[in-house]
Every structure is written in C-alpha cells, then in structure tokens.
Amino acid sequence: MALSAQQIPRWFNSIKLNCFITATQLKNPFPRPGKTLLHGFSAQRQTSSDNCFLQRGFKTYRTSPVWNNSSQSTKSSRQEINSAQSTMLPFMNEQSQKTQKIPNFDSELSLEGLDDVPPFSPLQPVSEEEAVQIIADPPLPPFSFTLRDYVDHSETLQKLVLLGVDLSKIEKHPDAANLILRLDFEKDIKQILLFLKDLGLEDNQLGKFLTKNYAIFSEDLENLKTRVAYLQSKNFSKANITHMVRNAPFLLNFSVERLDNRLGFFQKELELNVKKTRELVVRLPRLLTGSLEPVKENMKVYQLELGFKHNEIQHMITKIPKMLTANKRKLTETFDYVHNVMNIPHHIIVRFPQVFNTRLFKVKERHLFLTYLGRAQYDPVKPNYISLDKLVSRPDEIFCKEIANASVQDFEKFLKTL
Amino acid sequence: MGTAGLARLHGLFAAYKPPGLHWKHLRDTVELQLLKGLNAGKPPAPKQRVRFLLGPVEGSEEKELTLRATSVPTLTNHPLVCGPAFSSLKVGVGHRLDVQASGVLVLGVGHGRSLLTDMYNAHLTKDYTVRGLLGKATDDFSEDGQLVEKTTYDHVTREKLDRILALIQGSHQKSLVMYSSLDLQTQEAYEMAVRGLIRPMNKSPMLITGIRCLHFAPPEFLLEVQCMHETQKQLRRLVHEIGLELKTTAVCCQVRRTRDGCFTLDDALLRAQWDFHSIQDAIQAAAPRVAAELEKSLRLGGSQQPPGPGWQEDEGPAPL
C-alpha cells in the first residue's frame, strides 16, 4: 500500500505511538513493532498473519485487516494491537477497555501538539492506482461468542479445521478459544503436532484428540517428553502409550508426580501386582485421568454392601475394568435384581461380571421372558443351563433363536405385555 | 437427510413405555435419537464467498493493478465450525403415564404437537389392562407400597366380582350423562343416551365407560377398563375399592394402557425401535388414521356427542 506520508492523518500518528507502546509492553512473540504501521504496510509473511489481534474502537476503514492464504504480493495486513493488558481476551465484552482507551487517546492527541503533516481530507482526489489499492473489507468484530467470525481470517483456525478439530466444541470454553486464536501455527502448534505424531497418533485421530485436550498447546514440550519417558520407564510399551493417550487425552497434562501417585494408588488399593496394574491401566486409561473418589467408593460397595471377597473383586476388575467407575446406584440395583430375584449366588456372578456392565432393563426383560417360557435355569449343574454372559451379551436375534428357542416377534409380543 | 428428513417427521406416533421408565426420559431419548438421525446426513457442500482481490491486469506488460472478483472457499459453514445442523427438536407427550405404569404413549413431533391438543380436546376414551392381587392392602395401592392390611379372600368368586364390576359401570354410566351437561329432554339427546353415546367433552373426574374381568384366578385377577380423564393412580385406587367391595383387600400389580385414541399396542414402538427411521415410518403410517379420527370427532363435536364407546354393542371395545 503506497500511501505517502502526507496522506497519513495526523491522528494516525497517535495511533502509531499508542500501538508502539502497547506492543512493546506485551510479551508476545509477534515480531512487528508498531513502527511499521507508519511506513506503509509492506507485504508481510503469510504465517505472521495468524496473529489476529483485535483492536478496539478506532480503526481506519482504509486499512482493514486482511488475512488470506491466497494473497497477492501487495496485500497489506494490519496488525491490530490489543488493549493495554496482554491478558485481556477479545471474547469478553469489555466496555471498560474502550473507555480506558479513549482518555489515553485524547492525551496522545494533546501530546502531539503541532504536527508538520497537513490534515488529510476524505474529499481529496486520489489516483486510480491508489483507489484500487484501498481495501474496504468489513472489519473483524472485536469480540464474539463464536469462532465462526474469525475462521476465514486466521490460518491457524483453518488448518485446525482441516485437521479435524471441532471448533464448535472449543468455542464453548472462552479461554480455550482465546488461546487457539492467539497461537501461531508454525511456532507453537506444529511442534506439538509433530510430538503427537511421534507418539503414534494417526492423522485422522489428531482432530478428536485436540478437540478434547486443547490445553496441550499450553503445555511445555519438554514436560510432555519427560512424562512420556516416565511412562516408558514404567515398562509401558510404545503401542500402549499411544493407546492410552488416544483414549485418555488428558493423560499427558498430568505431571510425573501425579501420574506416579495414581499408579501407586491403583496398585495399593487393588493389591494387584505391577503387571496386572499395567494391563488394567492400559485397558481403561481414563482411570488415571478421572477422579479417584468413585473408585474408592465402589471398592467399599463391592466389599461391604455386595459382599464380595477381595480376590473375587480383583478377578472381576481385571475382566471388566469399567466396574471401578460404574454408578453406585445402578450397581446396587443390578446386583439386587440378579442376586435376589434371579437367585444367582455370588460365585456365579464373579464368573460373569459382564452383568454389571449391562443395562438393568435388558437383564430384567430377558429374565422375565425366560421365566415365562420356563427356561430360566441359571444353575450350572442342572440341565438346560443358561450362563449369565449368554443372557446379557448376545444381541436380541441370537438370544431369541439360540437361548430362548423363540422368535423375535414372540419376544416383542411378550415385551408389550410387561 | 436434513431438512427433507425433518419435513417427514412432523406428526404423531406411539411408543410403548416400559414400566420403571419416567415418561420424560422416554421423550428425551426419542429426541436424541431423532437428532442423531437428522445430523447423520451428509454434510452440506462447501460454500464460497466473493472477495475482490488485487491482481495485474491481463494482457498488460506494466505493473498495473486492478480488482477482480474471485470466489474463495470459506469455512464459515463447515460443520466443524458451526456445529451440528440440528441441536434441538420439539417433541411433545400426549396423555402421560406414571413411572410404574406401562403401555401406549403418544408423542408428537414438531407440528404434530398441535394434533396432541386436538386429541386432548376430542376427549376420547382409553383402554387399560389392570392386574390385581387379592389379600393385601398398601398405602399407595400398589404392590411395593407399605403394607397396611392382610386379609383372606377364599370367599371371593367370579360372580361376585362380575356383580361388583357391573355396579361400578352402572354408576359411572349415570355420571357420564351428568358430566356431559347435555339436556336429556331433547329427542336427539335421549336417543344418544339410549345408545350409550354420551360422554363429557370438558373436564370431569375419572369416568369408566366400561369394565370387565378378563381372567380370575385367585389371588390374581385381570380387568379390562375403558375410561376417560383418568390417572393411573386412580385406577390403582379403583382396584383397592373393588377389593373393599368384595369384603377383602386388593392391590394393583400392573397398569398397562392398551389403546390411546386410535393408537393401539400394534402401533406402539418398542425400545429397540426408538430410532430415526422407525419413528419416521410410524409417523407416516399413522398420519392418515389420526387425521380421519380427528376430523370425525371435530365434525361430530359440534353436536357434542360423537359415537361413543361401542362396548355394549359389539364383542370388543371399538376404538374411539
């Protein structure tokens, strides 16, 4: 944009100064000092255009911000500087910001005093080339509740969408959205992505991971590497670590100390040996990232309320790790029905812990159907024995055909009589 | 899918509510499944926006710049940026069923909710099967309530039960006429009353238009009740009162709605069928029947008394 010095309005200088002040105050990795604003808007690098700072209040419509992948060489982009505090987030409706700025601005004006640049009038004739080079795109909104307004102007956001990150979920957390807006793809995001790929995450899994754990961008790469090294030192294989990180995205946000504490907790609480604990954690990684209170409570429930012995609980948990985080009320209701109504003793329930993982209505419906047919035999020594896992884990068609010896229509008719 | 699927979703359908499930959970499950089906369609084609970009003039050697309108792809309408196309759906419930009751529950989707109001205003009767157990009395008239009394029931016979039921039906027949606020002195009203076609078309207490015993094997007995303006708790209280009339006590084990308006057990969708396509098919299948019935009741509603419950005339209850 070839604006001559004369055409720059007098008050523009004040903006320049203001921006200069705020830019140097900010500890941001953005290279452009405010000075370049004055000396024309030379074509900037593509990548630096990701820094969408949003400006408050006064902006000149002659030089609206333009960030575009497919830019022309003489594209000008404008760096808009934030308000005075670097931590202020454009998502909040900070009216106070605006009011703070304006007195600042006035003081700047008065400081200017006599300027040697003559005032610029909009009615001044402009040459054809300059007219063509006026960019009059609508300005970006300074604050918004959605990332949709900024996605076309930010390369970071576009690349994240192409990776598969769900921005509509991220924008529900304003801090996360602000963080993502401020990041530079080349500098920050790329390193983390390469690290995740080294871990073993596939390209198509990156989107899902980042949607859940956007906070990984604020983690230090060295810390992440230390945590992975710690897990490897505990004899988790590389494939295991990939599986764990994929299923529990927040795993690497936990410090080494915290991970250590949690692994120790599971080992002590369940009294399993190291190998079994490792297998358990690999099978259900969210045990490490979730809260530990429900696990403690469930252990007490199994022991005291349901009356299982410790070795029985260990056996059930190694088979179905989900039992540790199951809902207490559903557990007790299921157990109550299976033990008291279906009259199944403890030692058979231990052999088939899947019943704790199924919905209660399924168990009830199928048991009532078998009772109606007279085939509800759950004692292994007697003939026509039906095992619990066949009862709960087979789909409806196979259950009806093989176990109940009836058709699916009969089952449906029976269900409508309940 | 998308808007085309949504267009075929407006209307009424019936679901079979199992016992132990709150009607609100059923409604929420149905809404989630419908939203899942609607959002499962293929995403919209990527949109473009027009931008005026600087570029050199074609066919000129100098560095002359001009603006050119170009279509650039935009991500503003990408599903990952703006979220799923449908985030909520209006599903309404007709005559509710309480937690322990089961049976036909009519739900209305979108514009079908106004049909729910029409169904309510048509004041149609509903069919229930009520299972009772002699010998016990509890505080909330159901089997799991707190036990109040235990009695013997050896003296109860089928004839006694039938007599009691006939008494009940007779007394409710009188109330039907009374609450209909119809002047019986006119010839038309008299003829309709003789044929048993009178019923109240506004609010009234629970009225039983027909009751009979399907099965009697003491201590259990099974009743079929045709009633209007009822709640399931009042039906359980009815079982309790029948027990009292029989000089014993009774509790209600099961209340199951078999018909609500023109929706019967055959039309009701089971839990495994609460998914987008089954519900859409059910709505489309039920639409003509519902329209015919509401139109019939509207047409005859002017003279206040559409054809009433045909129990006394034919073998089984005629749907109303």
Side-chain angles (χ1 to χ4, degrees):
Chain A
M1 180 96 80
L3 282 177
S4 66
Q6 272 164 334
Q7 287 160 336
I8 294 166
R10 174 171 169 262
W11 55 267
F12 206 71
N13 281 335
S14 64
I15 295 176
K16 171 258 302 182
L17 270 178
N18 204 358
C19 295
F20 186 67
I21 292 164
T22 52
T24 48
Q25 280 169 355
L26 295 172
K27 293 186 201 51
N28 278 315
F30 302 112
R32 225 145 300 281
K35 252 198 212 167
T36 52
L37 270 174
L38 181 55
H39 296 295
F41 308 99
S42 48
Q44 298 183 349
R45 290 184 348 253
Q46 271 321 105
T47 50
S48 64
S49 63
D50 297 334
N51 318 327
C52 20
F53 283 109
L54 298 164
Q55 201 215 13
R56 313 229 165 274
F58 32 77
K59 40 179 109 200
T60 124
Y61 280 71
R62 309 181 102 243
T63 58
S64 314
V66 168
W67 288 273
N68 201 336
N69 282 339
S70 57
S71 67
Q72 315 291 317
S73 56
T74 51
K75 191 60 37 74
S76 75
S77 72
R78 169 146 174 205
Q79 186 187 22
E80 296 177 290
I81 314 284
N82 254 339
S83 53
Q85 294 123 346
S86 58
T87 53
M88 267 314 147
L89 306 170
F91 271 67
M92 320 295 182
N93 192 349
E94 284 132 339
Q95 293 300 334
S96 57
Q97 286 304 113
K98 282 198 166 153
T99 49
Q100 265 173 36
K101 267 274 195 177
I102 291 165
N104 209 356
F105 171 71
D106 286 334
S107 63
E108 292 291 323
L109 252 187
S110 59
L111 278 178
E112 286 301 296
L114 305 160
D115 215 358
D116 43 351
V117 174
F120 177 67
S121 157
L123 299 174
Q124 224 167 342
V126 165
S127 73
E128 199 51 47
E129 302 89 50
E130 282 155 16
V132 154
Q133 284 165 9
I134 295 174
I135 294 174
D137 282 334
L140 278 185
F143 35 78
S144 162
F145 67 99
T146 169
L147 284 174
R148 222 188 306 174
D149 299 327
Y150 306 116
V151 75
D152 280 327
H153 303 277
S154 162
E155 202 182 298
T156 316
L157 290 180
Q158 282 166 3
K159 289 210 172 130
L160 285 177
V161 172
L162 293 174
L163 267 179
V165 177
D166 195 340
L167 292 184
S168 65
K169 293 205 174 103
I170 292 187
E171 72 191 11
K172 293 192 175 125
H173 310 273
D175 312 331
N178 287 318
L179 175 74
I180 302 258
L181 264 183
R182 275 142 203 283
L183 292 176
D184 180 27
F185 195 82
E186 286 299 314
K187 282 210 202 61
D188 314 312
I189 299 188
K190 207 166 188 172
Q191 300 187 19
I192 309 261
L193 287 180
L194 289 170
F195 167 76
L196 289 173
K197 286 206 72 168
D198 281 337
L199 264 188
L201 280 182
E202 302 292 324
D203 288 345
N204 49 4
Q205 295 161 343
L206 281 173
K208 198 160 160 265
F209 178 90
L210 292 174
T211 311
K212 273 272 172 70
N213 189 8
Y214 43 80
I216 201 168
F217 293 129
S218 48
E219 295 278 333
D220 202 6
L221 198 57
E222 290 311 312
N223 285 344
L224 295 174
K225 292 199 173 132
T226 323
R227 289 158 197 169
V228 174
Y230 166 76
L231 285 175
Q232 278 171 337
S233 75
K234 290 281 171 187
N235 290 333
F236 284 100
S237 77
K238 209 158 171 307
N240 281 347
I241 298 182
T242 315
H243 177 84
M244 282 163 67
V245 168
R246 193 175 39 235
N247 287 30
F250 287 98
L251 187 69
L252 292 179
N253 293 20
F254 281 50
S255 68
V256 169
E257 198 188 332
R258 210 163 167 209
L259 283 174
D260 200 30
N261 283 344
R262 278 166 183 243
L263 284 170
F265 165 80
F266 281 106
Q267 195 166 3
K268 273 201 290 289
E269 186 81 10
L270 304 175
E271 288 170 29
L272 294 169
N273 62 12
V274 180
K275 183 163 172 293
K276 286 233 166 94
T277 322
R278 212 178 324 156
E279 280 168 11
L280 180 83
V281 165
V282 168
R283 244 183 100 178
L284 194 66
R286 64 159 200 247
L287 284 174
L288 284 183
T289 55
S291 165
L292 298 177
E293 290 307 316
V295 177
K296 289 189 212 164
E297 205 178 3
N298 278 0
M299 289 297 292
K300 285 277 176 293
V301 164
Y302 288 125
Q303 233 168 346
L304 303 173
E305 210 173 320
L306 307 188
F308 286 108
K309 293 199 278 280
H310 199 76
N311 58 340
E312 291 176 335
I313 302 177
Q314 281 179 332
H315 173 82
M316 287 200 290
I317 283 175
T318 38
K319 267 185 112 169
I320 308 268
K322 223 167 142 182
M323 280 169 68
L324 283 172
T325 47
N327 185 346
K328 184 173 79 159
R329 184 179 50 86
K330 288 187 189 158
L331 269 181
T332 41
E333 281 171 0
T334 312
F335 180 81
D336 177 46
Y337 192 80
V338 169
H339 187 60
N340 297 329
V341 176
M342 291 165 74
N343 287 327
I344 297 180
H346 279 86
H347 62 268
I348 299 186
I349 300 181
V350 171
R351 277 168 56 193
F352 306 110
Q354 298 93 318
V355 328
F356 289 116
N357 201 14
T358 49
R359 309 295 303 278
L360 179 59
F361 70 79
K362 206 166 180 179
V363 178
K364 268 190 188 160
E365 284 168 3
R366 290 184 174 187
H367 169 71
L368 289 170
F369 187 49
L370 290 176
T371 325
Y372 176 74
L373 292 175
R375 299 176 67 90
Q377 177 58 266
Y378 305 116
D379 194 355
V381 295
K382 303 218 179 87
N384 284 339
Y385 159 66
I386 295 179
S387 68
L388 271 184
D389 71 326
K390 282 213 194 99
L391 182 74
V392 302
S393 51
R394 300 286 180 270
D396 273 344
E397 297 85 22
I398 302 182
F399 168 75
C400 291
K401 207 159 59 143
E402 290 173 19
I403 301 172
N405 274 351
S407 66
V408 182
Q409 284 81 17
D410 292 340
F411 188 43
E412 286 176 4
K413 272 198 214 137
F414 174 76
L415 286 179
K416 287 194 181 171
T417 65
L418 282 180
Chain B
M1 222 86 66
T3 36
L6 183 59
R8 284 200 300 277
L9 265 189
H10 296 287
L12 296 180
F13 74 100
Y16 188 89
K17 185 188 98 66
L21 185 67
H22 198 277
W23 61 265
K24 222 181 253 186
H25 294 155
L26 197 159
R27 193 213 77 90
D28 292 338
T29 310
V30 162
E31 185 180 343
L32 278 176
Q33 291 294 320
L34 290 177
L35 282 175
K36 214 161 84 165
L38 282 172
N39 288 327
K42 58 177 175 59
K47 295 240 173 82
Q48 312 231 310
R49 63 184 175 132
V50 175
R51 299 210 57 225
F52 295 94
L53 304 174
L54 277 182
V57 176
E58 286 114 8
S60 113
E61 298 84 27
E62 304 137 16
K63 269 198 309 110
E64 222 180 84
L65 298 171
T66 182
L67 287 175
R68 240 176 316 156
T70 26
S71 222
V72 241
T74 175
L75 281 176
T76 7
N77 291 316
H78 197 276
L80 284 180
V81 177
C82 44
F86 298 92
S87 60
S88 82
L89 200 60
K90 298 199 172 166
V91 177
V93 173
H95 296 111
R96 300 190 293 252
L97 282 167
D98 64 10
V99 181
Q100 286 311 313
S102 60
V104 175
L105 185 67
V106 179
L107 293 143
V109 183
H111 298 315
R113 290 172 300 147
S114 53
L115 297 175
L116 282 176
T117 327
D118 294 339
M119 265 188 78
Y120 181 80
N121 293 334
H123 297 279
L124 306 166
T125 58
K126 302 184 212 58
D127 278 357
Y128 285 83
T129 55
V130 178
R131 196 182 293 273
L133 194 69
L134 291 168
K136 270 201 322 187
T138 55
D139 58 349
D140 65 351
F141 317 126
S142 73
E143 237 185 338
D144 328 328
Q146 197 182 24
L147 190 64
V148 169
E149 193 181 348
K150 274 185 120 154
T151 58
T152 58
Y153 48 85
D154 314 316
H155 57 278
V156 180
T157 62
R158 179 85 192 239
E159 291 75 31
K160 287 191 188 155
L161 183 62
D162 288 337
R163 206 177 309 144
I164 302 282
L165 297 179
L167 257 174
I168 293 175
Q169 186 168 335
S171 66
H172 281 262
Q173 204 76 10
K174 274 189 77 175
S175 334
L176 272 175
V177 174
M178 188 175 71
Y179 282 105
S180 72
S181 58
L182 200 58
D183 184 12
L184 264 192
Q185 301 305 316
T186 65
Q187 182 63 22
E188 297 164 349
Y190 172 73
E191 276 168 14
M192 288 183 93
V194 157
R195 289 198 339 253
L197 301 177
I198 293 186
R199 69 178 198 276
M201 293 304 275
N202 36 27
K203 273 201 175 152
S204 78
M206 170 169 97
L207 292 171
I208 297 181
T209 56
I211 183 166
R212 65 176 176 163
C213 175
L214 289 179
H215 183 66
F216 181 73
E220 279 187 12
F221 60 94
L222 186 63
L223 303 173
E224 187 172 3
V225 184
Q226 203 181 48
C227 50
M228 53 193 302
H229 304 159
E230 82 294 343
T231 64
Q232 288 77 47
K233 196 134 189 233
Q234 286 170 338
L235 288 170
R236 294 192 189 102
R237 179 193 282 264
L238 176 73
V239 169
H240 170 83
E241 282 165 6
I242 289 175
L244 291 179
E245 291 290 318
L246 288 169
K247 301 201 177 45
T248 175
T249 47
V251 288
C252 174
C253 310
Q254 184 198 46
V255 175
R256 182 173 70 115
R257 189 190 281 157
T258 48
R259 179 184 67 82
D260 186 350
C262 64
F263 291 99
T264 58
L265 274 184
D266 301 326
D267 315 316
L269 295 177
L270 283 170
R271 202 194 299 252
Q273 295 153 342
W274 295 345
D275 60 86
F276 181 73
H277 290 287
S278 321
I279 295 178
Q280 211 179 36
D281 297 336
I283 292 177
Q284 295 300 311
R289 262 185 310 143
V290 168
E293 177 159 339
L294 288 178
E295 195 242 316
K296 189 169 77 172
S297 66
L298 208 63
R299 190 169 19 104
L300 301 167
S303 65
Q304 200 189 50
Q305 300 304 336
W311 185 301
Q312 295 81 357
E313 294 128 50
D314 13 61
E315 281 82 34
L320 232 189

